[in-house]
mmCIF file of all heavy atoms in Angstrom:
data_model
loop_
_atom_site.group_PDB
_atom_site.id
_atom_site.type_symbol
_atom_site.label_atom_id
_atom_site.label_comp_id
_atom_site.label_asym_id
_atom_site.label_seq_id
_atom_site.Cartn_x
_atom_site.Cartn_y
_atom_site.Cartn_z
ATOM 1 N N SER U 31 70.575 67.649 109.641
ATOM 2 C CA SER U 31 69.181 67.710 110.096
ATOM 3 C C SER U 31 68.738 66.367 110.664
ATOM 4 O O SER U 31 69.213 65.309 110.261
ATOM 5 C CB SER U 31 68.262 68.084 108.935
ATOM 6 O OG SER U 31 68.138 66.982 108.062
ATOM 7 N N LYS U 32 67.828 66.449 111.577
ATOM 8 C CA LYS U 32 67.313 65.252 112.233
ATOM 9 C C LYS U 32 66.724 64.290 111.207
ATOM 10 O O LYS U 32 66.932 63.085 111.274
ATOM 11 C CB LYS U 32 66.219 65.663 113.227
ATOM 12 C CG LYS U 32 66.533 65.176 114.640
ATOM 13 C CD LYS U 32 65.370 65.285 115.590
ATOM 14 C CE LYS U 32 65.577 64.388 116.798
ATOM 15 N NZ LYS U 32 66.680 64.843 117.670
ATOM 16 N N LYS U 33 66.033 64.871 110.279
ATOM 17 C CA LYS U 33 65.360 64.062 109.279
ATOM 18 C C LYS U 33 66.381 63.244 108.478
ATOM 19 O O LYS U 33 66.228 62.035 108.278
ATOM 20 C CB LYS U 33 64.569 64.996 108.333
ATOM 21 C CG LYS U 33 63.353 64.337 107.714
ATOM 22 C CD LYS U 33 62.617 65.300 106.804
ATOM 23 C CE LYS U 33 62.718 64.906 105.348
ATOM 24 N NZ LYS U 33 62.523 66.010 104.415
ATOM 25 N N THR U 34 67.410 63.919 108.008
ATOM 26 C CA THR U 34 68.446 63.238 107.244
ATOM 27 C C THR U 34 69.089 62.138 108.078
ATOM 28 O O THR U 34 69.328 61.026 107.611
ATOM 29 C CB THR U 34 69.528 64.239 106.802
ATOM 30 O OG1 THR U 34 68.895 65.381 106.243
ATOM 31 C CG2 THR U 34 70.461 63.610 105.800
ATOM 32 N N LYS U 35 69.375 62.477 109.323
ATOM 33 C CA LYS U 35 70.001 61.490 110.203
ATOM 34 C C LYS U 35 69.182 60.211 110.283
ATOM 35 O O LYS U 35 69.707 59.104 110.123
ATOM 36 C CB LYS U 35 70.163 62.079 111.606
ATOM 37 C CG LYS U 35 71.431 62.907 111.775
ATOM 38 C CD LYS U 35 71.612 63.346 113.222
ATOM 39 C CE LYS U 35 72.690 64.423 113.312
ATOM 40 N NZ LYS U 35 72.722 65.043 114.647
ATOM 41 N N THR U 36 67.895 60.365 110.546
ATOM 42 C CA THR U 36 67.030 59.188 110.677
ATOM 43 C C THR U 36 67.053 58.375 109.400
ATOM 44 O O THR U 36 67.189 57.151 109.423
ATOM 45 C CB THR U 36 65.573 59.631 110.936
ATOM 46 O OG1 THR U 36 65.590 60.907 111.560
ATOM 47 C CG2 THR U 36 64.869 58.637 111.822
ATOM 48 N N LEU U 37 66.945 59.089 108.300
ATOM 49 C CA LEU U 37 66.939 58.429 107.000
ATOM 50 C C LEU U 37 68.208 57.605 106.790
ATOM 51 O O LEU U 37 68.166 56.424 106.412
ATOM 52 C CB LEU U 37 66.833 59.513 105.914
ATOM 53 C CG LEU U 37 65.751 59.314 104.865
ATOM 54 C CD1 LEU U 37 64.389 59.192 105.547
ATOM 55 C CD2 LEU U 37 65.759 60.480 103.882
ATOM 56 N N VAL U 38 69.311 58.278 107.027
ATOM 57 C CA VAL U 38 70.609 57.635 106.814
ATOM 58 C C VAL U 38 70.788 56.421 107.719
ATOM 59 O O VAL U 38 71.162 55.331 107.277
ATOM 60 C CB VAL U 38 71.756 58.642 107.065
ATOM 61 C CG1 VAL U 38 73.092 57.920 107.088
ATOM 62 C CG2 VAL U 38 71.755 59.724 105.989
ATOM 63 N N LYS U 39 70.484 56.620 108.985
ATOM 64 C CA LYS U 39 70.676 55.525 109.948
ATOM 65 C C LYS U 39 69.811 54.326 109.596
ATOM 66 O O LYS U 39 70.219 53.176 109.747
ATOM 67 C CB LYS U 39 70.360 56.007 111.363
ATOM 68 C CG LYS U 39 71.485 56.864 111.918
ATOM 69 C CD LYS U 39 71.186 57.364 113.307
ATOM 70 C CE LYS U 39 72.299 58.277 113.786
ATOM 71 N NZ LYS U 39 71.901 59.009 115.008
ATOM 72 N N GLN U 40 68.626 54.631 109.146
ATOM 73 C CA GLN U 40 67.697 53.577 108.763
ATOM 74 C C GLN U 40 68.276 52.759 107.611
ATOM 75 O O GLN U 40 68.352 51.541 107.668
ATOM 76 C CB GLN U 40 66.421 54.270 108.306
ATOM 77 C CG GLN U 40 65.162 53.470 108.450
ATOM 78 C CD GLN U 40 63.992 54.356 108.039
ATOM 79 O OE1 GLN U 40 63.598 55.278 108.752
ATOM 80 N NE2 GLN U 40 63.484 54.105 106.851
ATOM 81 N N GLU U 41 68.711 53.497 106.608
ATOM 82 C CA GLU U 41 69.274 52.834 105.428
ATOM 83 C C GLU U 41 70.519 52.012 105.803
ATOM 84 O O GLU U 41 70.706 50.893 105.325
ATOM 85 C CB GLU U 41 69.627 53.890 104.366
ATOM 86 C CG GLU U 41 70.112 53.321 103.052
ATOM 87 C CD GLU U 41 68.989 52.633 102.261
ATOM 88 O OE1 GLU U 41 67.816 52.808 102.640
ATOM 89 O OE2 GLU U 41 69.304 51.904 101.298
ATOM 90 N N ALA U 42 71.338 52.597 106.648
ATOM 91 C CA ALA U 42 72.569 51.919 107.069
ATOM 92 C C ALA U 42 72.229 50.601 107.746
ATOM 93 O O ALA U 42 72.840 49.567 107.491
ATOM 94 C CB ALA U 42 73.362 52.812 108.020
ATOM 95 N N LYS U 43 71.239 50.657 108.590
ATOM 96 C CA LYS U 43 70.823 49.469 109.307
ATOM 97 C C LYS U 43 70.292 48.426 108.336
ATOM 98 O O LYS U 43 70.612 47.251 108.427
ATOM 99 C CB LYS U 43 69.736 49.848 110.320
ATOM 100 C CG LYS U 43 69.502 48.772 111.358
ATOM 101 C CD LYS U 43 68.769 49.323 112.551
ATOM 102 C CE LYS U 43 68.635 48.260 113.627
ATOM 103 N NZ LYS U 43 67.848 48.756 114.767
#
Side-chain angles (χ1 to χ4, degrees):
Chain U
S31 73
K32 236 193 161 68
K33 208 180 111 203
T34 312
K35 275 186 193 170
T36 334
L37 231 57
V38 170
K39 284 179 183 168
Q40 206 176 287
E41 185 71 12
K43 195 162 184 184

